[in-house]
Amino acid sequence: MNRIIIARRFAIIMLSAAIFAITFSMAVDNTGRSGAQSHFGASFTCLQTGSPYCTAVQ
């Protein structure tokens, strides 16, 4: 009887962890693809051309 309770609790914890992992990965994936900017040296859209962060050739 004791092992059944432990198995049930473990299953509930693992399902909760899986749901959290899926929602967290979806949130990270959505925030990672904002705008046309690239931090790897490719050309990107810069709204403030006078700022020191806008060093790409336009």
Side-chain angles (χ1 to χ4, degrees):
M1 187 72 172
N2 196 13
R3 289 186 183 191
I4 295 173
I5 295 172
I6 291 173
R8 186 183 308 150
R9 289 180 183 173
F10 182 73
I12 291 171
I13 290 170
M14 288 299 112
L15 286 174
S16 299
I19 291 171
F20 172 77
I22 291 170
T23 55
F24 185 74
S25 66
M26 290 172 67
V28 169
D29 189 33
N30 281 341
T31 58
R33 294 185 184 178
S34 61
Q37 293 184 354
S38 176
H39 298 287
F40 298 109
S43 63
F44 60 91
T45 304
C46 187
L47 299 177
Q48 297 177 352
T49 56
S51 73
Y53 299 109
C54 296
T55 58
V57 178
Q58 296 182 3

mmCIF file of all heavy atoms in Angstrom:
data_model
loop_
_atom_site.group_PDB
_atom_site.id
_atom_site.type_symbol
_atom_site.label_atom_id
_atom_site.label_comp_id
_atom_site.label_asym_id
_atom_site.label_seq_id
_atom_site.Cartn_x
_atom_site.Cartn_y
_atom_site.Cartn_z
ATOM 1 N N MET A 1 0.824 -1.196 0.000
ATOM 2 C CA MET A 1 0.000 0.000 0.000
ATOM 3 C C MET A 1 0.869 1.261 0.000
ATOM 4 O O MET A 1 0.539 2.232 -0.662
ATOM 5 C CB MET A 1 -0.907 -0.034 1.235
ATOM 6 C CG MET A 1 -1.908 1.060 1.270
ATOM 7 S SD MET A 1 -3.166 0.767 0.037
ATOM 8 C CE MET A 1 -4.305 2.009 0.442
ATOM 9 N N ASN A 2 1.959 1.212 0.724
ATOM 10 C CA ASN A 2 2.838 2.371 0.836
ATOM 11 C C ASN A 2 3.490 2.686 -0.507
ATOM 12 O O ASN A 2 3.663 3.850 -0.859
ATOM 13 C CB ASN A 2 3.887 2.113 1.910
ATOM 14 C CG ASN A 2 4.570 3.397 2.338
ATOM 15 O OD1 ASN A 2 4.097 4.477 2.015
ATOM 16 N ND2 ASN A 2 5.660 3.269 3.052
ATOM 17 N N ARG A 3 3.852 1.662 -1.288
ATOM 18 C CA ARG A 3 4.488 1.888 -2.585
ATOM 19 C C ARG A 3 3.504 2.483 -3.591
ATOM 20 O O ARG A 3 3.899 3.238 -4.473
ATOM 21 C CB ARG A 3 5.057 0.583 -3.126
ATOM 22 C CG ARG A 3 6.265 0.123 -2.361
ATOM 23 C CD ARG A 3 6.875 -1.070 -3.006
ATOM 24 N NE ARG A 3 8.000 -1.527 -2.214
ATOM 25 C CZ ARG A 3 8.869 -2.424 -2.621
ATOM 26 N NH1 ARG A 3 8.723 -2.997 -3.795
ATOM 27 N NH2 ARG A 3 9.855 -2.775 -1.848
ATOM 28 N N ILE A 4 2.255 2.149 -3.478
ATOM 29 C CA ILE A 4 1.251 2.721 -4.381
ATOM 30 C C ILE A 4 1.117 4.221 -4.147
ATOM 31 O O ILE A 4 1.033 5.009 -5.097
ATOM 32 C CB ILE A 4 -0.103 1.998 -4.194
ATOM 33 C CG1 ILE A 4 0.013 0.543 -4.627
ATOM 34 C CG2 ILE A 4 -1.201 2.711 -4.969
ATOM 35 C CD1 ILE A 4 -1.218 -0.275 -4.313
ATOM 36 N N ILE A 5 1.127 4.628 -2.903
ATOM 37 C CA ILE A 5 1.032 6.056 -2.573
ATOM 38 C C ILE A 5 2.263 6.796 -3.069
ATOM 39 O O ILE A 5 2.156 7.888 -3.655
ATOM 40 C CB ILE A 5 0.838 6.234 -1.047
ATOM 41 C CG1 ILE A 5 -0.504 5.650 -0.626
ATOM 42 C CG2 ILE A 5 0.939 7.705 -0.674
ATOM 43 C CD1 ILE A 5 -0.699 5.608 0.877
ATOM 44 N N ILE A 6 3.442 6.210 -2.878
ATOM 45 C CA ILE A 6 4.680 6.844 -3.337
ATOM 46 C C ILE A 6 4.692 6.937 -4.859
ATOM 47 O O ILE A 6 5.081 7.965 -5.431
ATOM 48 C CB ILE A 6 5.904 6.065 -2.807
ATOM 49 C CG1 ILE A 6 6.006 6.246 -1.288
ATOM 50 C CG2 ILE A 6 7.187 6.546 -3.480
ATOM 51 C CD1 ILE A 6 7.076 5.400 -0.633
ATOM 52 N N ALA A 7 4.247 5.877 -5.538
ATOM 53 C CA ALA A 7 4.207 5.898 -7.005
ATOM 54 C C ALA A 7 3.228 6.954 -7.513
ATOM 55 O O ALA A 7 3.505 7.648 -8.500
ATOM 56 C CB ALA A 7 3.827 4.519 -7.533
ATOM 57 N N ARG A 8 2.102 7.102 -6.850
ATOM 58 C CA ARG A 8 1.112 8.103 -7.251
ATOM 59 C C ARG A 8 1.660 9.518 -7.061
ATOM 60 O O ARG A 8 1.521 10.372 -7.940
ATOM 61 C CB ARG A 8 -0.166 7.924 -6.441
ATOM 62 C CG ARG A 8 -1.292 8.825 -6.907
ATOM 63 C CD ARG A 8 -2.528 8.689 -6.057
ATOM 64 N NE ARG A 8 -2.939 7.298 -5.931
ATOM 65 C CZ ARG A 8 -3.567 6.792 -4.871
ATOM 66 N NH1 ARG A 8 -3.866 7.571 -3.853
ATOM 67 N NH2 ARG A 8 -3.918 5.527 -4.835
ATOM 68 N N ARG A 9 2.312 9.753 -5.939
ATOM 69 C CA ARG A 9 2.909 11.075 -5.695
ATOM 70 C C ARG A 9 4.016 11.368 -6.695
ATOM 71 O O ARG A 9 4.137 12.493 -7.193
ATOM 72 C CB ARG A 9 3.452 11.147 -4.269
ATOM 73 C CG ARG A 9 2.367 11.208 -3.235
ATOM 74 C CD ARG A 9 2.947 11.285 -1.846
ATOM 75 N NE ARG A 9 1.890 11.267 -0.844
ATOM 76 C CZ ARG A 9 2.102 11.196 0.457
ATOM 77 N NH1 ARG A 9 3.335 11.125 0.926
ATOM 78 N NH2 ARG A 9 1.093 11.192 1.294
ATOM 79 N N PHE A 10 4.830 10.358 -6.992
ATOM 80 C CA PHE A 10 5.903 10.538 -7.963
ATOM 81 C C PHE A 10 5.329 10.872 -9.339
ATOM 82 O O PHE A 10 5.845 11.740 -10.046
ATOM 83 C CB PHE A 10 6.758 9.263 -8.024
ATOM 84 C CG PHE A 10 7.923 9.368 -8.952
ATOM 85 C CD1 PHE A 10 9.033 10.123 -8.619
ATOM 86 C CD2 PHE A 10 7.912 8.709 -10.175
ATOM 87 C CE1 PHE A 10 10.105 10.218 -9.474
ATOM 88 C CE2 PHE A 10 8.975 8.801 -11.038
ATOM 89 C CZ PHE A 10 10.083 9.556 -10.692
ATOM 90 N N ALA A 11 4.261 10.196 -9.729
ATOM 91 C CA ALA A 11 3.634 10.462 -11.027
ATOM 92 C C ALA A 11 3.069 11.875 -11.087
ATOM 93 O O ALA A 11 3.212 12.566 -12.104
ATOM 94 C CB ALA A 11 2.535 9.441 -11.290
ATOM 95 N N ILE A 12 2.455 12.322 -10.003
ATOM 96 C CA ILE A 12 1.910 13.683 -9.970
ATOM 97 C C ILE A 12 3.031 14.708 -10.057
ATOM 98 O O ILE A 12 2.938 15.705 -10.791
ATOM 99 C CB ILE A 12 1.055 13.877 -8.701
ATOM 100 C CG1 ILE A 12 -0.218 13.035 -8.796
ATOM 101 C CG2 ILE A 12 0.720 15.351 -8.493
ATOM 102 C CD1 ILE A 12 -1.013 12.985 -7.520
ATOM 103 N N ILE A 13 4.124 14.474 -9.346
ATOM 104 C CA ILE A 13 5.259 15.408 -9.379
ATOM 105 C C ILE A 13 5.884 15.439 -10.769
ATOM 106 O O ILE A 13 6.212 16.507 -11.298
ATOM 107 C CB ILE A 13 6.293 15.028 -8.306
ATOM 108 C CG1 ILE A 13 5.725 15.318 -6.917
ATOM 109 C CG2 ILE A 13 7.606 15.779 -8.506
ATOM 110 C CD1 ILE A 13 6.560 14.772 -5.788
ATOM 111 N N MET A 14 6.043 14.289 -11.397
ATOM 112 C CA MET A 14 6.645 14.245 -12.729
ATOM 113 C C MET A 14 5.744 14.882 -13.787
ATOM 114 O O MET A 14 6.233 15.564 -14.687
ATOM 115 C CB MET A 14 6.966 12.800 -13.125
ATOM 116 C CG MET A 14 8.127 12.205 -12.371
ATOM 117 S SD MET A 14 9.649 13.112 -12.669
ATOM 118 C CE MET A 14 9.935 13.850 -11.077
ATOM 119 N N LEU A 15 4.446 14.694 -13.685
ATOM 120 C CA LEU A 15 3.542 15.357 -14.622
ATOM 121 C C LEU A 15 3.573 16.873 -14.439
ATOM 122 O O LEU A 15 3.546 17.623 -15.414
ATOM 123 C CB LEU A 15 2.117 14.832 -14.448
ATOM 124 C CG LEU A 15 1.863 13.428 -14.993
ATOM 125 C CD1 LEU A 15 0.455 12.972 -14.614
ATOM 126 C CD2 LEU A 15 2.037 13.413 -16.493
ATOM 127 N N SER A 16 3.643 17.316 -13.201
ATOM 128 C CA SER A 16 3.744 18.759 -12.940
ATOM 129 C C SER A 16 5.049 19.313 -13.495
ATOM 130 O O SER A 16 5.073 20.406 -14.089
ATOM 131 C CB SER A 16 3.656 19.029 -11.445
ATOM 132 O OG SER A 16 2.438 18.581 -10.935
ATOM 133 N N ALA A 17 6.137 18.583 -13.312
ATOM 134 C CA ALA A 17 7.428 19.027 -13.843
ATOM 135 C C ALA A 17 7.419 19.065 -15.366
ATOM 136 O O ALA A 17 7.988 19.979 -15.973
ATOM 137 C CB ALA A 17 8.544 18.111 -13.330
ATOM 138 N N ALA A 18 6.780 18.097 -15.989
ATOM 139 C CA ALA A 18 6.716 18.071 -17.452
ATOM 140 C C ALA A 18 5.894 19.243 -17.977
ATOM 141 O O ALA A 18 6.284 19.894 -18.958
ATOM 142 C CB ALA A 18 6.119 16.751 -17.925
ATOM 143 N N ILE A 19 4.793 19.548 -17.340
ATOM 144 C CA ILE A 19 3.963 20.690 -17.760
ATOM 145 C C ILE A 19 4.733 21.990 -17.583
ATOM 146 O O ILE A 19 4.718 22.869 -18.444
ATOM 147 C CB ILE A 19 2.635 20.693 -16.989
ATOM 148 C CG1 ILE A 19 1.766 19.514 -17.427
ATOM 149 C CG2 ILE A 19 1.888 22.010 -17.186
ATOM 150 C CD1 ILE A 19 0.534 19.303 -16.582
ATOM 151 N N PHE A 20 5.441 22.116 -16.470
ATOM 152 C CA PHE A 20 6.256 23.319 -16.242
ATOM 153 C C PHE A 20 7.346 23.443 -17.299
ATOM 154 O O PHE A 20 7.575 24.532 -17.839
ATOM 155 C CB PHE A 20 6.879 23.281 -14.845
ATOM 156 C CG PHE A 20 7.876 24.380 -14.617
ATOM 157 C CD1 PHE A 20 7.450 25.666 -14.374
ATOM 158 C CD2 PHE A 20 9.230 24.113 -14.668
ATOM 159 C CE1 PHE A 20 8.367 26.691 -14.173
ATOM 160 C CE2 PHE A 20 10.158 25.120 -14.471
ATOM 161 C CZ PHE A 20 9.720 26.411 -14.225
ATOM 162 N N ALA A 21 8.016 22.341 -17.626
ATOM 163 C CA ALA A 21 9.092 22.378 -18.610
ATOM 164 C C ALA A 21 8.572 22.764 -19.991
ATOM 165 O O ALA A 21 9.208 23.547 -20.707
ATOM 166 C CB ALA A 21 9.792 21.021 -18.664
ATOM 167 N N ILE A 22 7.433 22.238 -20.365
ATOM 168 C CA ILE A 22 6.864 22.566 -21.676
ATOM 169 C C ILE A 22 6.463 24.034 -21.748
ATOM 170 O O ILE A 22 6.771 24.737 -22.717
ATOM 171 C CB ILE A 22 5.669 21.645 -21.979
ATOM 172 C CG1 ILE A 22 6.161 20.215 -22.215
ATOM 173 C CG2 ILE A 22 4.883 22.141 -23.184
ATOM 174 C CD1 ILE A 22 5.057 19.195 -22.280
ATOM 175 N N THR A 23 5.787 24.529 -20.711
ATOM 176 C CA THR A 23 5.375 25.941 -20.734
ATOM 177 C C THR A 23 6.575 26.873 -20.649
ATOM 178 O O THR A 23 6.594 27.928 -21.293
ATOM 179 C CB THR A 23 4.386 26.246 -19.600
ATOM 180 O OG1 THR A 23 4.968 25.852 -18.343
ATOM 181 C CG2 THR A 23 3.087 25.499 -19.800
ATOM 182 N N PHE A 24 7.594 26.501 -19.886
ATOM 183 C CA PHE A 24 8.793 27.335 -19.789
ATOM 184 C C PHE A 24 9.531 27.379 -21.123
ATOM 185 O O PHE A 24 10.000 28.440 -21.547
ATOM 186 C CB PHE A 24 9.708 26.807 -18.684
ATOM 187 C CG PHE A 24 10.903 27.670 -18.431
ATOM 188 C CD1 PHE A 24 10.763 28.879 -17.768
ATOM 189 C CD2 PHE A 24 12.168 27.282 -18.852
ATOM 190 C CE1 PHE A 24 11.862 29.684 -17.540
ATOM 191 C CE2 PHE A 24 13.263 28.080 -18.621
ATOM 192 C CZ PHE A 24 13.117 29.281 -17.966
ATOM 193 N N SER A 25 9.633 26.247 -21.804
ATOM 194 C CA SER A 25 10.315 26.238 -23.097
ATOM 195 C C SER A 25 9.527 27.031 -24.137
ATOM 196 O O SER A 25 10.114 27.673 -25.006
ATOM 197 C CB SER A 25 10.533 24.806 -23.577
ATOM 198 O OG SER A 25 9.307 24.183 -23.863
ATOM 199 N N MET A 26 8.195 27.007 -24.060
ATOM 200 C CA MET A 26 7.396 27.819 -24.973
ATOM 201 C C MET A 26 7.599 29.301 -24.700
ATOM 202 O O MET A 26 7.677 30.111 -25.636
ATOM 203 C CB MET A 26 5.929 27.450 -24.850
ATOM 204 C CG MET A 26 5.602 26.085 -25.406
ATOM 205 S SD MET A 26 3.919 25.554 -25.063
ATOM 206 C CE MET A 26 3.003 26.707 -26.041
ATOM 207 N N ALA A 27 7.699 29.681 -23.441
ATOM 208 C CA ALA A 27 7.914 31.086 -23.096
ATOM 209 C C ALA A 27 9.288 31.554 -23.558
ATOM 210 O O ALA A 27 9.428 32.663 -24.084
ATOM 211 C CB ALA A 27 7.765 31.283 -21.593
ATOM 212 N N VAL A 28 10.298 30.736 -23.397
ATOM 213 C CA VAL A 28 11.647 31.104 -23.827
ATOM 214 C C VAL A 28 11.713 31.186 -25.343
ATOM 215 O O VAL A 28 12.342 32.081 -25.898
ATOM 216 C CB VAL A 28 12.680 30.089 -23.278
ATOM 217 C CG1 VAL A 28 14.046 30.280 -23.913
ATOM 218 C CG2 VAL A 28 12.778 30.221 -21.770
ATOM 219 N N ASP A 29 11.046 30.275 -26.025
ATOM 220 C CA ASP A 29 11.050 30.268 -27.481
ATOM 221 C C ASP A 29 10.358 31.509 -28.029
ATOM 222 O O ASP A 29 10.816 32.094 -29.004
ATOM 223 C CB ASP A 29 10.362 29.013 -28.002
ATOM 224 C CG ASP A 29 10.521 28.852 -29.494
ATOM 225 O OD1 ASP A 29 11.574 29.251 -30.019
ATOM 226 O OD2 ASP A 29 9.601 28.321 -30.135
ATOM 227 N N ASN A 30 9.283 31.965 -27.413
ATOM 228 C CA ASN A 30 8.571 33.159 -27.878
ATOM 229 C C ASN A 30 9.370 34.422 -27.642
ATOM 230 O O ASN A 30 9.384 35.308 -28.485
ATOM 231 C CB ASN A 30 7.212 33.279 -27.198
ATOM 232 C CG ASN A 30 6.176 32.371 -27.816
ATOM 233 O OD1 ASN A 30 6.342 31.909 -28.933
ATOM 234 N ND2 ASN A 30 5.119 32.115 -27.086
ATOM 235 N N THR A 31 10.038 34.555 -26.517
ATOM 236 C CA THR A 31 10.807 35.766 -26.239
ATOM 237 C C THR A 31 12.110 35.780 -27.005
ATOM 238 O O THR A 31 12.681 36.836 -27.215
ATOM 239 C CB THR A 31 11.094 35.912 -24.739
ATOM 240 O OG1 THR A 31 11.805 34.761 -24.286
ATOM 241 C CG2 THR A 31 9.818 36.070 -23.950
ATOM 242 N N GLY A 32 12.593 34.658 -27.447
ATOM 243 C CA GLY A 32 13.849 34.612 -28.183
ATOM 244 C C GLY A 32 13.722 35.065 -29.619
ATOM 245 O O GLY A 32 14.707 35.390 -30.257
ATOM 246 N N ARG A 33 12.531 35.131 -30.168
ATOM 247 C CA ARG A 33 12.344 35.485 -31.574
ATOM 248 C C ARG A 33 11.629 36.820 -31.727
ATOM 249 O O ARG A 33 10.684 36.941 -32.489
ATOM 250 C CB ARG A 33 11.540 34.405 -32.269
ATOM 251 C CG ARG A 33 12.250 33.095 -32.346
ATOM 252 C CD ARG A 33 11.453 32.116 -33.134
ATOM 253 N NE ARG A 33 12.099 30.821 -33.114
ATOM 254 C CZ ARG A 33 11.601 29.744 -33.689
ATOM 255 N NH1 ARG A 33 10.447 29.813 -34.297
ATOM 256 N NH2 ARG A 33 12.244 28.619 -33.643
ATOM 257 N N SER A 34 12.063 37.824 -31.023
ATOM 258 C CA SER A 34 11.396 39.124 -31.117
ATOM 259 C C SER A 34 12.168 40.043 -32.052
ATOM 260 O O SER A 34 13.336 40.301 -31.848
ATOM 261 C CB SER A 34 11.278 39.769 -29.732
ATOM 262 O OG SER A 34 12.560 39.979 -29.194
ATOM 263 N N GLY A 35 11.507 40.525 -33.075
ATOM 264 C CA GLY A 35 12.101 41.499 -33.972
ATOM 265 C C GLY A 35 13.073 40.870 -34.956
ATOM 266 O O GLY A 35 13.218 39.657 -35.055
ATOM 267 N N ALA A 36 13.741 41.741 -35.685
ATOM 268 C CA ALA A 36 14.669 41.292 -36.719
ATOM 269 C C ALA A 36 16.113 41.425 -36.271
ATOM 270 O O ALA A 36 17.017 41.393 -37.086
ATOM 271 C CB ALA A 36 14.424 42.090 -37.994
ATOM 272 N N GLN A 37 16.356 41.630 -35.003
ATOM 273 C CA GLN A 37 17.711 41.820 -34.521
ATOM 274 C C GLN A 37 18.453 40.494 -34.458
ATOM 275 O O GLN A 37 17.880 39.461 -34.190
ATOM 276 C CB GLN A 37 17.714 42.466 -33.143
ATOM 277 C CG GLN A 37 17.202 43.876 -33.150
ATOM 278 C CD GLN A 37 17.309 44.507 -31.777
ATOM 279 O OE1 GLN A 37 17.670 43.849 -30.824
ATOM 280 N NE2 GLN A 37 16.996 45.776 -31.692
ATOM 281 N N SER A 38 19.742 40.588 -34.675
ATOM 282 C CA SER A 38 20.607 39.425 -34.548
ATOM 283 C C SER A 38 21.858 39.856 -33.807
ATOM 284 O O SER A 38 22.441 40.887 -34.100
ATOM 285 C CB SER A 38 20.969 38.867 -35.913
ATOM 286 O OG SER A 38 21.870 37.804 -35.758
ATOM 287 N N HIS A 39 22.289 39.066 -32.863
ATOM 288 C CA HIS A 39 23.463 39.411 -32.071
ATOM 289 C C HIS A 39 24.706 38.697 -32.587
ATOM 290 O O HIS A 39 25.709 38.642 -31.909
ATOM 291 C CB HIS A 39 23.220 39.070 -30.607
ATOM 292 C CG HIS A 39 22.081 39.826 -30.020
ATOM 293 N ND1 HIS A 39 22.150 41.156 -29.711
ATOM 294 C CD2 HIS A 39 20.821 39.458 -29.711
ATOM 295 C CE1 HIS A 39 20.993 41.569 -29.220
ATOM 296 N NE2 HIS A 39 20.166 40.552 -29.217
ATOM 297 N N PHE A 40 24.655 38.156 -33.794
ATOM 298 C CA PHE A 40 25.786 37.414 -34.325
ATOM 299 C C PHE A 40 26.447 38.126 -35.488
ATOM 300 O O PHE A 40 27.116 37.515 -36.300
ATOM 301 C CB PHE A 40 25.340 36.012 -34.747
ATOM 302 C CG PHE A 40 24.824 35.194 -33.601
ATOM 303 C CD1 PHE A 40 23.486 34.911 -33.495
ATOM 304 C CD2 PHE A 40 25.687 34.732 -32.625
ATOM 305 C CE1 PHE A 40 23.013 34.169 -32.443
ATOM 306 C CE2 PHE A 40 25.220 33.996 -31.564
ATOM 307 C CZ PHE A 40 23.890 33.709 -31.472
ATOM 308 N N GLY A 41 26.235 39.415 -35.618
ATOM 309 C CA GLY A 41 26.908 40.191 -36.636
ATOM 310 C C GLY A 41 26.146 40.326 -37.946
ATOM 311 O O GLY A 41 26.636 40.940 -38.880
ATOM 312 N N ALA A 42 24.973 39.767 -38.058
ATOM 313 C CA ALA A 42 24.182 39.905 -39.278
ATOM 314 C C ALA A 42 23.500 41.270 -39.284
ATOM 315 O O ALA A 42 23.440 41.964 -38.281
ATOM 316 C CB ALA A 42 23.146 38.792 -39.364
ATOM 317 N N SER A 43 22.992 41.654 -40.431
ATOM 318 C CA SER A 43 22.302 42.939 -40.515
ATOM 319 C C SER A 43 20.992 42.878 -39.747
ATOM 320 O O SER A 43 20.345 41.843 -39.673
ATOM 321 C CB SER A 43 22.033 43.299 -41.974
ATOM 322 O OG SER A 43 21.178 42.347 -42.537
ATOM 323 N N PHE A 44 20.593 43.993 -39.156
ATOM 324 C CA PHE A 44 19.376 44.040 -38.368
ATOM 325 C C PHE A 44 18.759 45.420 -38.464
ATOM 326 O O PHE A 44 19.407 46.371 -38.867
ATOM 327 C CB PHE A 44 19.628 43.655 -36.913
ATOM 328 C CG PHE A 44 20.612 44.550 -36.199
ATOM 329 C CD1 PHE A 44 20.178 45.662 -35.500
ATOM 330 C CD2 PHE A 44 21.958 44.271 -36.235
ATOM 331 C CE1 PHE A 44 21.060 46.473 -34.844
ATOM 332 C CE2 PHE A 44 22.854 45.082 -35.577
ATOM 333 C CZ PHE A 44 22.414 46.185 -34.883
ATOM 334 N N THR A 45 17.514 45.511 -38.074
ATOM 335 C CA THR A 45 16.791 46.770 -38.101
ATOM 336 C C THR A 45 17.141 47.575 -36.853
ATOM 337 O O THR A 45 17.017 47.073 -35.748
ATOM 338 C CB THR A 45 15.276 46.513 -38.134
ATOM 339 O OG1 THR A 45 14.994 45.687 -39.241
ATOM 340 C CG2 THR A 45 14.511 47.820 -38.236
ATOM 341 N N CYS A 46 17.564 48.806 -37.046
ATOM 342 C CA CYS A 46 17.927 49.660 -35.917
ATOM 343 C C CYS A 46 17.103 50.941 -36.002
ATOM 344 O O CYS A 46 17.164 51.669 -36.990
ATOM 345 C CB CYS A 46 19.413 49.977 -35.951
ATOM 346 S SG CYS A 46 19.965 50.861 -34.489
ATOM 347 N N LEU A 47 16.338 51.219 -34.957
ATOM 348 C CA LEU A 47 15.469 52.387 -34.964
ATOM 349 C C LEU A 47 16.198 53.661 -34.588
ATOM 350 O O LEU A 47 15.849 54.741 -35.033
ATOM 351 C CB LEU A 47 14.283 52.152 -34.022
ATOM 352 C CG LEU A 47 13.387 50.971 -34.393
ATOM 353 C CD1 LEU A 47 12.300 50.786 -33.344
ATOM 354 C CD2 LEU A 47 12.764 51.158 -35.770
ATOM 355 N N GLN A 48 17.225 53.559 -33.758
ATOM 356 C CA GLN A 48 17.995 54.732 -33.353
ATOM 357 C C GLN A 48 19.376 54.638 -33.992
ATOM 358 O O GLN A 48 20.285 54.007 -33.472
ATOM 359 C CB GLN A 48 18.113 54.797 -31.836
ATOM 360 C CG GLN A 48 16.783 54.950 -31.129
ATOM 361 C CD GLN A 48 16.936 54.937 -29.626
ATOM 362 O OE1 GLN A 48 17.992 54.667 -29.102
ATOM 363 N NE2 GLN A 48 15.857 55.236 -28.922
ATOM 364 N N THR A 49 19.543 55.304 -35.123
ATOM 365 C CA THR A 49 20.800 55.166 -35.861
ATOM 366 C C THR A 49 21.963 55.861 -35.172
ATOM 367 O O THR A 49 23.111 55.574 -35.471
ATOM 368 C CB THR A 49 20.633 55.728 -37.287
ATOM 369 O OG1 THR A 49 20.191 57.086 -37.192
ATOM 370 C CG2 THR A 49 19.626 54.904 -38.075
ATOM 371 N N GLY A 50 21.700 56.754 -34.252
ATOM 372 C CA GLY A 50 22.776 57.462 -33.582
ATOM 373 C C GLY A 50 23.310 56.757 -32.355
ATOM 374 O O GLY A 50 24.303 57.184 -31.776
ATOM 375 N N SER A 51 22.698 55.679 -31.938
ATOM 376 C CA SER A 51 23.148 55.006 -30.718
ATOM 377 C C SER A 51 24.385 54.154 -31.004
ATOM 378 O O SER A 51 24.605 53.721 -32.136
ATOM 379 C CB SER A 51 22.028 54.129 -30.153
ATOM 380 O OG SER A 51 21.857 52.984 -30.934
ATOM 381 N N PRO A 52 25.213 53.921 -30.002
ATOM 382 C CA PRO A 52 26.419 53.111 -30.222
ATOM 383 C C PRO A 52 26.116 51.640 -30.498
ATOM 384 O O PRO A 52 26.992 50.909 -30.938
ATOM 385 C CB PRO A 52 27.192 53.277 -28.910
ATOM 386 C CG PRO A 52 26.198 53.678 -27.908
ATOM 387 C CD PRO A 52 25.133 54.433 -28.647
ATOM 388 N N TYR A 53 24.892 51.209 -30.253
ATOM 389 C CA TYR A 53 24.546 49.813 -30.501
ATOM 390 C C TYR A 53 24.210 49.552 -31.967
ATOM 391 O O TYR A 53 24.138 48.427 -32.401
ATOM 392 C CB TYR A 53 23.379 49.381 -29.625
ATOM 393 C CG TYR A 53 23.703 49.486 -28.158
ATOM 394 C CD1 TYR A 53 23.122 50.464 -27.382
ATOM 395 C CD2 TYR A 53 24.584 48.610 -27.569
ATOM 396 C CE1 TYR A 53 23.433 50.573 -26.038
ATOM 397 C CE2 TYR A 53 24.913 48.703 -26.232
ATOM 398 C CZ TYR A 53 24.325 49.683 -25.469
ATOM 399 O OH TYR A 53 24.639 49.800 -24.143
ATOM 400 N N CYS A 54 23.980 50.619 -32.742
ATOM 401 C CA CYS A 54 23.639 50.482 -34.155
ATOM 402 C C CYS A 54 24.899 50.611 -34.980
ATOM 403 O O CYS A 54 25.187 51.659 -35.547
ATOM 404 C CB CYS A 54 22.608 51.534 -34.567
ATOM 405 S SG CYS A 54 21.037 51.329 -33.725
ATOM 406 N N THR A 55 25.677 49.570 -35.047
ATOM 407 C CA THR A 55 26.929 49.613 -35.779
ATOM 408 C C THR A 55 26.859 48.873 -37.110
ATOM 409 O O THR A 55 27.830 48.784 -37.811
ATOM 410 C CB THR A 55 28.067 49.003 -34.931
ATOM 411 O OG1 THR A 55 27.699 47.657 -34.600
ATOM 412 C CG2 THR A 55 28.296 49.808 -33.683
ATOM 413 N N ALA A 56 25.699 48.317 -37.433
ATOM 414 C CA ALA A 56 25.550 47.562 -38.684
ATOM 415 C C ALA A 56 25.458 48.542 -39.856
ATOM 416 O O ALA A 56 24.933 49.643 -39.750
ATOM 417 C CB ALA A 56 24.304 46.690 -38.647
ATOM 418 N N VAL A 57 25.967 48.130 -40.981
ATOM 419 C CA VAL A 57 25.895 48.945 -42.191
ATOM 420 C C VAL A 57 24.476 48.880 -42.722
ATOM 421 O O VAL A 57 23.920 47.812 -42.922
ATOM 422 C CB VAL A 57 26.898 48.431 -43.254
ATOM 423 C CG1 VAL A 57 26.778 49.248 -44.532
ATOM 424 C CG2 VAL A 57 28.300 48.468 -42.709
ATOM 425 N N GLN A 58 23.894 50.055 -42.978
ATOM 426 C CA GLN A 58 22.519 50.094 -43.456
ATOM 427 C C GLN A 58 22.435 50.589 -44.864
ATOM 428 O O GLN A 58 23.079 51.430 -45.296
ATOM 429 C CB GLN A 58 21.648 50.963 -42.537
ATOM 430 C CG GLN A 58 21.562 50.366 -41.161
ATOM 431 C CD GLN A 58 20.658 51.220 -40.274
ATOM 432 O OE1 GLN A 58 20.068 52.202 -40.685
ATOM 433 N NE2 GLN A 58 20.560 50.821 -39.012
#
